[in-house]
Amino acid sequence: LGRTLDLLERLGRPQDRLPPVVHVAGTNGKGSLIAFLRAILEAAGKRVHCYTSPHLVRFNERIRIAGEIIPETKLSQLLGYCEIVNEGRPITFFEITTAAAFRAFAEQPADVLLLECGLGGRFDSTNVVDRPVLTAITPVSMDHIQFLGDTLPGIAAEKAAIQKPSVPSVIGEQPAAAAAVIARQA
């Protein structure tokens, strides 16, 4: 997380000015859970930011600010600014995009930010929020084994690492091997 944290520091720590965060990890159902939560919250009149991946049609679908997909011009400006601030240091596409999204979210008031992990959890760029209001782990199965490990317990441990002390965590139905690891992490 060092590259992401370094860039966020240079950007003025936008992760500290986010609305209350619901952080979601898992293998299956992350996008659906976020879509359901967004629909419920927006129907209740809440202003909702969302960060999801991947996109379906256009890249800017990944970032919703108060319910609206970020305009391409705004996203281009944010990414350009983040590149300048990063000063050529090594950074991945997802890391710089996450930093840009956090800056956008910090600039616009909202009631909640629904934040989806991109890959795993423990070393995912989204896992820089110190105190989400809720974490959720959807069903875990074998995925991204080249990055997360080649066993279900190992992958579950990576995903479970988004859990934080004294923060409620909602866990979807899990295979026994994943459930045991997630419970131990909690």
Side-chain angles (χ1 to χ4, degrees):
L1 299 177
R3 291 185 303 244
T4 302
L5 288 168
D6 181 59
L7 179 54
L8 290 169
E9 189 71 35
R10 294 171 178 280
L11 291 169
R13 299 187 56 82
Q15 74 273 26
D16 295 340
R17 299 186 313 276
L18 298 174
V21 173
V22 175
H23 199 187
V24 179
T27 303
N28 302 304
K30 295 186 310 273
S32 295
L33 176 59
I34 294 225
F36 293 141
L37 290 172
R38 182 170 67 86
I40 291 165
L41 291 163
E42 287 177 348
K46 302 296 182 188
R47 291 171 53 101
V48 180
H49 295 334
C50 285
Y51 186 58
T52 58
S53 65
H55 56 280
L56 297 177
V57 178
R58 294 187 339 242
F59 176 77
N60 58 330
E61 294 169 17
R62 295 174 180 222
I63 302 170
R64 287 182 171 268
I65 301 173
E68 301 295 324
I69 294 174
I70 190 170
E72 289 180 23
T73 54
K74 173 73 172 171
L75 180 57
S76 291
Q77 290 169 347
L78 277 167
L79 288 170
Y81 180 71
C82 288
E83 273 195 47
I84 290 167
V85 170
N86 192 51
E87 298 177 329
R89 291 174 180 81
I91 195 151
T92 68
F93 172 76
F94 191 75
E95 290 166 341
I96 201 164
T97 302
T98 301
F102 282 9
R103 184 167 168 95
F105 297 144
E107 292 173 353
Q108 178 75 36
D111 297 301
V112 67
L113 165 57
L114 303 175
L115 183 61
E116 180 182 349
C117 283
L119 177 85
R122 179 169 59 132
F123 295 123
D124 189 86
S125 292
T126 62
N127 199 22
V128 297
V129 176
D130 290 333
R131 189 115 175 109
V133 295
L134 179 72
T135 62
I137 302 173
T138 64
V140 174
S141 62
M142 299 297 289
D143 71 326
H144 302 292
I145 59 174
Q146 67 276 31
F147 301 108
L148 304 178
D150 60 0
T151 67
L152 189 57
I155 292 169
E158 293 296 319
K159 311 243 183 211
I162 69 163
Q163 296 177 105
K164 305 288 189 283
S166 301
V167 172
S169 191
V170 176
I171 310 303
E173 187 173 347
Q174 302 290 339
V181 171
I182 293 167
R184 193 167 44 251
Q185 173 71 25

